[in-house]
Amino acid sequence: MAACAALPSSIVEYFEGEDFYRCGYCKNESGSRSNGMWAHSMTVQDYQDLVDRGWRRSGKYVYKPVMNQTCCPQYTIRCRSLQFQPSKSQKKVLKKMLKFLAKGEVSKGHCEDEPMEPILEDAVASDVALINKLDVQCDLKMLGDTLKESLEREEKKKGKPAKKEDSKELIQSQEKEELGSGEPSRSVEVRSVPQPGKGADLSKPPCRKAKEIRKERKRLKLMQQNPAGEPTGVQAQRGPKTEPHQPRSLEDLIFESLPENASHKLEVRVVRSSPPSSQFKATMLESYQVYKRYQMVIHNHSPDEPTVSQFTGFLCTSPLEPENPPNGPDCGYGSFHQQYWLDGKIIAVGVIDILPCCVSSVYLYYDPDYAFLSLGVYSALREIAFTRQLHEKVPQLSYYYMGFYIHSCPKMRYKGHYRPSDLLCPETYVWVPIEQCLPSLENSKYCRFNQDPDAVDEGRSKDPDRLRVFHKKAIVPYGVYRRQQQDPGEEAAVRQYASLVGQACAERMLLFRS
């Protein structure tokens, strides 16, 4: 059995069938349904392609909701960061932080659009139990030294350079940074008539102030009286009209200068979490203590529940292989912790993946003593700004992925407030502006957003026999493996896997078979 010439480094173990477990959103005891696989290792490009087909990771477990069956359909959502402009309520959060840093002012009350749960946090309590179970079944060493040695031998044959384990630490203080802009994203236009729903209609523009409406009426009236456009009366004496005031950018609001005698100092450090960099190792215990307090206060967990092993397995361990290409981000691609340091101590940590086309938010936890700073909203805005900063060097990296948007769960709709944003069609895997999706979601929990009836999944599995299989120390096409095994039951599982990951990933990733 000969090894294949082209060797991917993504190694996955697919679990046949569908998992049924308790839904963290509606609390249905067995309503949440998903397909899943254990990723022993994965390239950032493979994970980017999987995310663009509705997959998401929790530790090393990668899962895809069964959208037309699960109780709370979870639609992948991304924000077009280059066109993002903060809303009025989001600006309030940034101003609140600046006041606290400058003068130590603590404002009371919460931002009106701050969710009940921290920003970008999915209900993953049931996932943790599932991951713990899978961690026993799929021991990280179950592939054994033979697999690792086999892959290493193949890499040596091809003369691949050794991978860099450590990465450059990025530190952002309260200093102004000039970031770039880029091309708007391509998306599918879906025309639909908005339907009335509960609360504010997000598909409509925000209401205008009465003062602005009066000004507009006055302007139209003057134009009707003077169609030639010649200046008259007081307007003629005022001279040429100046350009309208330009709204301040997200970076202007975040990196506004602070006085020399500012009350507090905030730094944001990006450290590689997998494999752990020296900076990550030095701060891991402090970071874990923040997570433990967060779970105890915010989620009412017992003091002995969030163990170190749970913390590392859920938020530190990642299947993503670190990559540091010369034309990539300075920190490289892979999994990172974005640490928020206030006066020399960690108060919040955003877990993120840096992928070829996006920054993908995984989780956020924070010190409950600083909940008054609306750290959920603040961290999301910082991550959007970070995406824009990375775009300066990597033009194709321009999106901010926020995980899943769950319209059927009202408290999870806040992710739709970061505009402009798109939802992923669960059938054709094209991106559709969220404004065009909301009317359909008001009528049905599950929706196909692409309204072209002839459109199909362009990346679907067309030739399962070209899928890659790792079996008995060798890498073979599935067509060869199938003829040798002749197991109809296994064939159904492999075909299901191929249909879910798509043809490109099926040909690149290694499907482990014992």
Side-chain angles (χ1 to χ4, degrees), residues 11-26:
I11 308 169
V12 299
E13 192 166 355
Y14 181 68
F15 303 108
E16 183 181 359
E18 299 163 359
D19 294 315
F20 297 81
Y21 51 92
R22 183 176 183 270
C23 178
Y25 304 105
C26 70

Side-chain angles (χ1 to χ4, degrees), residues 299-508:
H299 293 296
N300 300 315
H301 286 192
S302 61
D304 59 342
E305 196 171 353
T307 64
V308 175
S309 61
Q310 288 175 338
F311 169 69
T312 55
F314 175 37
L315 297 174
C316 305
T317 305
S318 167
L320 299 186
E321 294 291 322
E323 298 181 23
N324 293 275
N327 59 346
D330 292 336
C331 58
Y333 296 109
S335 298
F336 299 82
H337 279 197
Q338 196 166 39
Q339 302 172 336
Y340 294 79
W341 289 77
L342 182 68
D343 301 332
K345 72 172 185 177
I346 297 176
I347 64 166
V349 177
V351 182
I352 60 173
D353 292 330
I354 299 179
L355 305 177
C357 298
C358 72
V359 169
S360 175
S361 180
V362 179
Y363 200 75
L364 172 82
Y365 55 95
Y366 57 83
D367 187 335
D369 290 344
Y370 296 91
F372 65 88
L373 289 174
S374 304
L375 290 170
V377 176
Y378 183 78
S379 66
L381 297 174
R382 288 295 298 245
E383 288 173 5
I384 292 173
F386 182 52
T387 305
R388 289 155 64 137
Q389 178 188 351
L390 296 179
H391 170 78
E392 282 272 291
K393 185 177 180 183
V394 188
Q396 72 270 22
L397 201 165
S398 59
Y399 296 104
Y400 175 55
Y401 282 45
M402 298 178 280
F404 290 134
Y405 174 82
I406 306 166
H407 194 77
S408 58
C409 181
K411 73 177 182 181
M412 296 302 294
R413 294 184 184 181
Y414 65 86
K415 296 184 183 183
H417 296 164
Y418 294 83
R419 301 289 185 90
S421 57
D422 307 304
L423 297 183
L424 186 67
C425 176
E427 295 182 11
T428 61
Y429 303 111
V430 296
W431 295 97
V432 181
I434 191 171
E435 296 88 351
Q436 299 171 22
C437 303
L438 293 174
S440 299
L441 289 172
E442 286 293 336
N443 296 324
S444 174
K445 289 196 298 185
Y446 173 75
C447 298
R448 170 192 165 111
F449 300 134
N450 189 339
Q451 295 188 353
D452 178 359
D454 298 324
V456 296
D457 170 18
E458 296 294 339
R460 66 191 181 280
S461 174
K462 303 179 182 70
D463 187 1
D465 282 351
R466 295 175 62 184
L467 179 149
R468 306 262 178 157
V469 174
F470 188 91
H471 179 65
K472 292 183 178 180
K473 304 181 184 180
I475 303 166
V476 297
Y478 175 66
V480 175
Y481 172 81
R482 176 173 54 83
R483 287 191 294 271
Q484 293 175 348
Q485 297 299 311
Q486 295 183 349
D487 183 350
E490 184 174 44
E491 183 175 355
V494 173
R495 288 185 177 275
Q496 183 186 55
Y497 159 81
S499 69
L500 294 172
V501 302
Q503 187 69 31
C505 283
E507 290 186 26
R508 290 197 306 258

